Amino acid sequence: MSQGIFALGRWTSLLVLLALTGCAKSRVLGRSLGYRTLDVVREAPDLYEPDAAAMQAFAPDEEFRRAFVSTLSKSARSLGRESVALNCVASVLAEAMMEDRFRPSVALRRWVAWRCGSTTPNLGFRFQYNVCRSSWDCERALDDGLEGLSQSLNHHHLSFNYGITRRRRGQIHMQVAVSAGREVLLRESGLKRRYLPGEEIKLALRPLGGATPLKAFMDGGSGQVNVYDMPETSSPDWVVRHRLPSKPGRYFVEVSTASRATEGGRAWGRELLLFPVYVGIDEPESPEVTVSGFAANPSGDVAWSQWLKARYDEERVRAGLPPLTLDEKIVGLASARALLSAETDDLPMDDALSLKLARVGVQTRRWWQLHGEFEFLSDYLASRLDQPSVRRAITDGEVRRYGVGFAPRTSPDGQDSMFSVVEYLTQ
């Protein structure tokens, strides 16, 4: 589940942050990076999950690191691991906010995560800042706020990575913490992001805890999605080899937990890793190229449902399939689940979905379910279509009916206005 947490320090307000924006800029604030921040991005190597030696520029001050770790709960210290890639993410987001005085959108955070080498783009996000003339006063105030900064990390109940930074620009002092789930490891650091057409990509994966068995979805040629299942005998590591398309372009790699049998049918897995690779083309140096499809949210839940279905139907038409039918019975189930999701962090997939579908008269042997959060529906659509598994579900020839539900939610600190969304696709 995609989750972004946005927290203000207790010394300032959101209005102050917005008032500091200054003169208007031609680019879209919160969805692009200024030239100073791009200079910071360029210090990151062109690799996924780089090693610490390649990321020294983003290492936090040792005194700050010790002070931050001391505020983590015993459980968080046991489950959490500092990630050099997420230290880079925290540093870039801090620089972006100090340069633009504006909160980065979820879409921009995803791009920054990939550009810094993180293979998990769905981030928890928390920051604090202070504006003052005395450096000592600002540092002391930020020290006092460390427990608030670490608050979101203390809620993790599975293994996770985190990154931290404390940075200063002029009179602005800022500290940032980001986190992401860590349920599968890439056994070899320094995975390439750019490949030749037709080149092979190799993933050496090790599931952690209960994240097994695994399933890999990788973009193939002509819009195909190749699926690889982890053999039951593959323990503890699993090596996946995939021949990338010969046509130049941006393609995606996804690793999820596999679906599992349940009393009521099958519960579909959840995304663990998702990242793009660039085949025969250069990776964009700025996010505008890939974070550009913004559109204001439609008015009303019905309009949202119709808008999202229409975009999915476009994908189906390209695959030679008929449009989906919006089924009100399925919409009712999805809406009820979305309300529950809005009240519950990390709500799992519904193990009893097929039983619930049967109770409302929807008999099916095949179904897909998607959970998520978003600020803007256009960003949610773009992120969903990035996922090979979702594109495979949308273009499943046996799928005919569709239902989606939405519910407003806020982050625990009340600052981020988000929406929970649950989607069901069935025969």
Side-chain angles (χ1 to χ4, degrees):
M1 178 181 292
S2 176
Q3 185 170 4
I5 299 176
F6 171 80
L8 289 171
R10 56 195 170 113
W11 314 282
T12 51
S13 70
L14 179 61
L15 292 176
V16 173
L17 183 63
L18 297 177
L20 290 169
T21 301
C23 61
K25 295 177 169 36
S26 59
R27 55 194 176 82
V28 181
L29 293 174
R31 306 182 67 83
S32 60
L33 298 176
Y35 72 93
R36 292 178 179 173
T37 306
L38 286 173
D39 285 342
V40 177
V41 172
R42 294 185 186 105
E43 296 183 51
D46 293 333
L47 300 168
Y48 285 117
E49 304 300 342
D51 58 30
M55 303 291 277
Q56 285 299 315
F58 305 104
D61 174 79
E62 189 58 38
E63 184 177 352
F64 169 57
R65 175 189 280 128
R66 286 197 302 269
F68 178 81
V69 170
S70 71
T71 65
L72 295 175
S73 66
K74 183 178 179 180
S75 173
R77 286 197 294 271
S78 172
L79 295 171
R81 187 193 71 175
E82 186 181 325
S83 159
V84 294
L86 294 188
N87 283 340
C88 169
V89 176
S91 299
V92 172
L93 294 180
E95 287 293 331
M97 288 184 287
M98 289 190 293
E99 182 168 6
D100 280 345
R101 319 295 196 266
F102 213 87
R103 176 176 64 94
S105 67
V106 172
L108 181 59
R109 293 177 222 166
R110 287 168 61 87
W111 184 88
V112 170
W114 286 324
R115 189 60 187 83
C116 280
S118 173
T119 53
T120 308
N122 298 326
L123 305 175
F125 171 56
R126 198 173 184 89
F127 81 86
Q128 296 170 330
Y129 76 101
N130 201 3
V131 181
C132 56
R133 295 182 179 180
S134 167
S135 175
W136 183 81
D137 284 344
C138 275
E139 294 292 326
R140 184 177 63 176
L142 291 176
D143 284 340
D144 291 342
L146 280 176
E147 288 191 9
L149 190 69
S150 64
Q151 181 181 351
S152 61
L153 276 63
N154 289 331
H155 294 306
H156 282 276
H157 57 275
L158 297 172
S159 296
F160 68 94
N161 289 332
Y162 68 87
I164 54 174
T165 193
R166 178 179 287 181
R167 301 175 83 90
R168 174 186 178 186
R169 177 172 291 174
Q171 296 180 353
I172 302 175
H173 296 243
M174 181 167 291
Q175 55 192 16
V176 172
V178 297
S179 62
R182 181 172 64 95
E183 296 182 66
V184 63
L185 294 180
L186 282 176
R187 296 298 294 160
E188 299 175 10
S189 62
L191 181 69
K192 292 195 304 182
R193 294 211 292 262
R194 288 184 289 178
Y195 292 83
L196 295 173
E199 188 176 354
E200 183 182 77
I201 182 173
K202 185 185 88 169
L203 301 180
L205 304 165
R206 172 170 291 180
L208 302 176
T212 186
L214 301 178
K215 186 182 286 281
F217 300 85
M218 302 193 189
D219 282 336
S222 304
Q224 251 185 316
V225 174
N226 294 76
V227 184
Y228 303 89
D229 292 292
M230 179 179 180
E232 292 183 9
T233 57
S234 180
S235 180
D237 293 346
W238 179 38
V239 177
V240 186
R241 299 177 185 273
H242 172 69
R243 185 70 58 184
L244 292 165
S246 57
K247 181 180 179 180
R250 182 176 77 145
Y251 299 94
F252 277 85
V253 173
E254 178 185 356
V255 177
S256 303
T257 55
S259 61
R260 66 185 190 279
T262 68
E263 183 179 347
R266 300 193 68 80
W268 293 98
R270 64 189 183 283
E271 162 204 334
L272 302 178
L273 303 180
L274 176 70
F275 53 92
V277 292
Y278 297 85
V279 175
I281 62 171
D282 291 331
E283 181 177 6
E285 292 192 358
S286 66
E288 282 88 341
V289 177
T290 54
V291 188
S292 57
F294 169 75
N297 287 332
S299 299
D301 286 3
V302 174
W304 289 17
S305 302
Q306 295 289 355
W307 186 90
L308 199 54
K309 186 185 100 63
R311 304 290 86 73
Y312 289 168
D313 285 344
E314 290 172 2
E315 294 293 315
R316 289 176 64 84
V317 168
R318 278 192 281 270
L321 297 171
L324 295 166
T325 298
L326 196 63
D327 189 307
E328 291 304 319
K329 297 175 184 176
I330 303 175
V331 169
L333 291 177
S335 298
R337 192 71 177 177
L339 285 170
L340 185 59
S341 176
E343 299 168 356
T344 310
D345 288 332
D346 298 325
L347 184 71
M349 296 294 180
D350 191 350
D351 288 358
L353 178 58
S354 61
L355 291 176
K356 293 177 181 178
L357 288 167
R359 288 192 196 111
V360 297
V362 179
Q363 303 295 332
T364 181
R365 294 175 292 102
R366 191 173 183 84
W367 46 265
W368 300 79
Q369 56 176 314
L370 307 171
H371 288 198
E373 295 177 351
F374 65 91
E375 295 171 300
F376 298 101
L377 199 55
S378 57
D379 286 343
Y380 174 77
L381 173 70
S383 68
R384 280 305 188 199
L385 295 183
D386 283 345
Q387 287 185 246
S389 66
V390 174
R391 278 184 271 115
R392 184 169 178 263
I394 294 168
T395 56
D396 185 332
E398 294 188 39
V399 164
R400 292 288 189 273
R401 291 181 285 186
Y402 174 67
V404 58
F406 306 94
R409 67 173 295 161
T410 57
S411 60
D413 46 60
Q415 295 294 340
D416 244 353
S417 294
M418 306 284 289
F419 298 90
S420 290
V421 55
V422 173
E423 302 178 81
Y424 297 147
L425 297 103
T426 74
Q427 287 176 307

